[in-house]
Amino acid sequence: MLSSPSTKRRLSALAVALLLGVTLQAAPAMAQKTKTKPAPVAAASAEPTTTVTVDIPSIAAPDANVDEATLRAIFSGNIVDHAEALAGLTASSITIPEITLNTAVTIDGATTDSSMTFENIVLSNVVDGVAETVSMSGTAMTSGEDISGTFGAVSANQFDIAGLLALYGLVDGGGQTAMKTLYTDFTFAGGSFTAPEVSCTFGAATAAEFKARPINASFAEIMALSEALEAEADTPSPETLGKALHIYADILTAFESSPVEFEGFDCSGIEDDETVAFSVASMTMGGMSPGVYPSIDITGMDLAIGDDGTISIGTLNFKPIDLSAPIAAIQAAPDALDESWFAANARALIPAFAGFSIADVAIDIPDPDLEGTRIVAGIGSLDLSLSDYVNGIPTALDSRASNVVLEMPETTSDEQLQTLMALGVTSIDAGFAIDARWNQDAKTIAINEVSLTGADLATITLAGTINNATEALFSSDESMMMAAGMGLALGDLKLDISDAGLSDIIMTIAAAEQGSDPDTLRPVFAGLAEGSVIGMLAGSAEAQKVGAAVSAFVAGKASSLSIAVMAKNLPGLGMLDFMAAEQDPTSLLSKVTIDASN
């Protein structure tokens, strides 16, 4: 495992992030042209040694209340020693034409030189640690002889340097607990990156506002915790884990922002001697709010691998993740968190994921199991929505898909597919829906819809009600969950079938096997179905009606069939009833009413 940068190198990255809004490579706190050399490493060690220099040719800071030497130290990375001065910085403007960060990394005697140059850094009208505008015209980076990148202008307004320092505990936040705007109107002009086997271009990005409050741990505490986690990487102590999770939970509630718009990227490269191209047209990250990880919307995602295949996705949406339940569990936890605490709170630590959706998917790739054939498929739309979480379990589920298309292969050894192809079926266009919700007050689970649809084939829909669904069904105690599950009872159930061509296919296949024709077999099968139903429901008042409805459907006289079953007594058919029915299915007949129609 590679060791992380030293505390001083972390401070340099934070310094540039604070002042420029971009993350740089970690660098030590140093003055202009100074150099820090790490302790010698044994020749046999694979650990890298790093040398970093920062070059700032000039700084112009008219009317500044901080001298040039201090500004050089700050922009070179040493913000801890000058945090108070930076938080109170006042100047009509600060202009730095160029900052160059040079890094030399040596591993086993081989040295790689890298540089990153930040151009035309300007802070204007800075008053008490707040800059009216902050901008940088561009960034250029190189690493070795064949890696390079250029990135366009970055800017923001009302950049609150003091607030950002307070956020990380580098200066006193003055008891601030409410969100405070740290910057507005953030823009990034995009850029490009090139390496030996890959090149990328990045589009512009914008964000209207970013807010935050000071976290409840000082920067020194965070650095100490980071080093403790590194030292205890294999087996962190309960005290270290507890402190880390408490700080993490606090950080998750310390930010708020408007949506971030990103104009996407386009990358191409070589993998296994094949050209690979991957691009995204645009991406939007929803606004952050305390305890909620925002949604992410992606449009125009395309992957192409040489001439072999392509995958494209029109839209992809990851819905928000509500972390309030895990945060509450951590906030109520003791300082030291051992295995027993994690076992007892495993369900409470599950975030409430709202689901995802995907649309306009097209797939055209080689079939890995059959040479010379391709898998051609698509998804019109697919959505999964989860909500109303109870103890880590969603109690409302709604998932739907439409136009899930699979083109029939030109050749196949699958007999069923061969039969369908012989009947003229060139593609399968399917969909499904699952909609179920728990009603806490009524103690029911409403199965609103479970359906499967095949275009030009059939639609099968199931709906019903499950009673005795108490809150214990979602308990963290497995014994309580099992007991609650045993107490569930089926109150009603309805099956709807709509034929749009599937029965013709079935009859054609059956007729071919019997050496007959579909029109001859239909009335025969209809009579058999009616007789079977009446015999199975013998003694039931509804037997004749149900049998007639089934017969009409099988005979092709009706294109739909609906069968409804309702328990005569509440709460309905329980586990014991179904266990008894395994030995004698007719035992259920006296406990339900059955209706059927076309």
Side-chain angles (χ1 to χ4, degrees):
M1 180 177 180
L2 293 176
S3 62
S4 64
S6 67
T7 299
K8 287 185 177 181
R9 291 169 61 201
R10 292 190 191 98
L11 294 180
S12 175
L14 178 61
V16 180
L18 286 171
L19 298 178
L20 307 179
V22 294
T23 304
L24 307 182
Q25 300 177 27
M30 63 191 76
Q32 178 192 14
K33 290 285 188 179
T34 60
K35 183 180 295 186
T36 299
K37 295 183 179 180
V41 179
S45 172
E47 291 291 324
T49 60
T50 304
T51 301
V52 181
T53 63
V54 177
D55 183 13
I56 305 176
S58 65
I59 296 178
D63 307 320
N65 64 343
V66 176
D67 60 40
E68 182 177 332
T70 301
L71 288 175
R72 283 183 177 276
I74 290 171
F75 281 94
S76 295
N78 185 4
I79 62 171
V80 170
D81 293 340
H82 306 286
E84 293 294 340
L86 183 57
L89 178 63
T90 294
S92 58
S93 66
I94 296 175
T95 303
I96 306 175
E98 184 177 280
I99 298 177
T100 301
L101 179 70
N102 296 303
T103 306
V105 179
T106 302
I107 303 177
D108 293 335
T111 300
T112 300
D113 294 316
S114 302
S115 71
M116 185 171 286
T117 300
F118 309 95
E119 301 172 347
N120 298 318
I121 302 157
V122 179
L123 289 78
S124 66
N125 195 20
V126 186
V127 179
D128 292 332
V130 179
E132 182 177 347
T133 64
V134 57
S135 64
M136 178 172 63
S137 65
T139 305
M141 60 86 63
T142 61
S143 182
E145 297 179 354
D146 45 18
I147 297 176
S148 63
T150 58
F151 305 93
V154 177
S155 67
N157 296 332
Q158 301 304 317
F159 192 79
D160 190 342
I161 303 169
L164 206 52
L165 292 169
L167 166 64
Y168 292 105
L170 289 169
V171 297
D172 185 4
Q176 176 194 343
T177 58
M179 295 288 176
K180 181 181 180 183
T181 299
L182 297 186
Y183 58 80
T184 64
D185 307 314
F186 170 82
T187 64
F188 165 59
S192 63
F193 174 84
T194 302
E197 295 187 347
V198 64
S199 62
C200 295
T201 58
F202 304 93
T206 60
E209 186 177 26
F210 179 77
K211 295 181 177 182
R213 62 155 177 83
I215 60 177
N216 294 324
S218 69
F219 187 75
E221 289 174 319
I222 294 174
M223 290 298 99
L225 175 62
S226 175
E227 292 171 355
L229 286 170
E230 181 181 335
E232 304 170 15
D234 295 330
T235 55
S237 69
E239 292 75 17
T240 300
L241 278 177
K243 182 173 289 187
L245 282 184
H246 280 287
I247 291 177
Y248 182 58
D250 180 52
I251 291 173
L252 289 173
T253 63
F255 301 97
E256 185 177 321
S257 75
S258 57
V260 177
E261 305 283 349
F262 174 45
E263 292 182 359
F265 61 87
D266 189 343
C267 293
S268 62
I270 303 294
E271 182 176 354
D272 297 331
D273 297 326
E274 284 193 295
T275 301
V276 177
F278 181 52
S279 63
V280 167
S282 68
M283 184 182 302
T284 299
M285 185 175 76
M288 291 188 293
S289 59
V292 178
Y293 190 82
S295 62
I296 298 176
D297 291 287
I298 302 171
T299 63
M301 181 183 294
D302 293 296
L303 172 64
I305 304 175
D307 297 325
D308 281 345
T310 59
I311 298 174
S312 66
I313 300 174
T315 59
L316 176 60
N317 165 242
F318 293 99
K319 300 178 184 180
I321 301 175
D322 188 347
L323 299 160
S324 57
I327 290 171
I330 294 169
Q331 289 174 336
D335 292 337
L337 304 180
D338 55 18
E339 290 185 9
S340 63
W341 183 87
F342 283 100
N345 291 273
R347 290 268 296 281
L349 294 174
I350 299 175
F353 176 44
F356 68 91
S357 65
I358 190 169
D360 300 326
V361 179
I363 300 170
D364 185 351
I365 58 176
D367 188 334
D369 299 322
L370 191 59
E371 187 176 355
T373 63
R374 303 184 70 79
I375 296 174
V376 181
I379 300 173
S381 65
L382 169 63
D383 180 86
L384 172 65
S385 296
L386 305 170
S387 61
D388 301 336
Y389 277 72
V390 175
N391 207 12
I393 298 176
T395 63
L397 163 66
D398 192 339
S399 182
R400 299 175 184 274
S402 63
N403 298 121
V404 181
V405 178
L406 175 64
E407 300 292 338
M408 292 296 184
E410 294 181 3
T411 59
T412 178
S413 59
D414 189 294
E415 293 183 0
Q416 293 179 331
L417 291 180
Q418 287 177 345
T419 301
L420 291 174
M421 293 166 64
L423 294 171
V425 177
T426 58
S427 66
I428 296 174
D429 185 347
F432 70 83
I434 303 173
D435 180 0
R437 297 171 188 276
W438 176 58
N439 186 315
Q440 181 177 9
D441 295 333
K443 296 182 176 60
T444 60
I445 297 175
I447 304 173
N448 298 317
E449 180 181 1
V450 176
S451 65
L452 180 63
T453 299
D456 300 323
L457 295 173
T459 297
I460 301 173
T461 304
L462 193 67
T465 305
I466 298 175
N467 297 319
N468 274 358
T470 65
E471 191 168 354
L473 192 63
F474 310 102
S475 172
S476 298
D477 188 313
E478 292 185 6
S479 298
M480 292 183 65
M481 285 185 66
M482 291 182 63
M486 292 292 291
L488 295 175
L490 179 63
D492 59 79
L493 191 66
K494 185 179 181 183
L495 173 66
D496 291 307
I497 304 174
S498 178
D499 179 32
L502 179 61
S503 65
D504 291 335
I505 293 175
I506 294 174
M507 287 298 173
T508 300
I509 294 173
E513 292 176 349
Q514 297 293 324
S516 181
D517 64 86
D519 291 338
T520 301
L521 283 185
R522 269 192 182 275
V524 175
F525 282 172
L528 290 173
E530 183 175 9
S532 298
V533 170
I534 293 174
M536 184 175 64
L537 300 180
S540 172
E542 303 90 355
Q544 293 293 335
K545 182 179 181 181
V546 175
V550 172
S551 175
F553 180 73
V554 176
K557 298 177 180 179
S559 61
S560 64
L561 174 64
S562 179
I563 299 176
V565 179
M566 180 173 291
K568 292 180 178 179
N569 300 306
L570 293 176
L573 302 178
M575 191 65 67
L576 294 178
D577 296 314
F578 287 106
M579 292 173 65
E582 291 181 0
Q583 302 297 324
D584 179 15
T586 61
S587 65
L588 294 178
L589 295 178
S590 63
K591 301 175 182 179
V592 299
T593 58
I594 304 175
D595 191 20
S597 61
N598 296 117

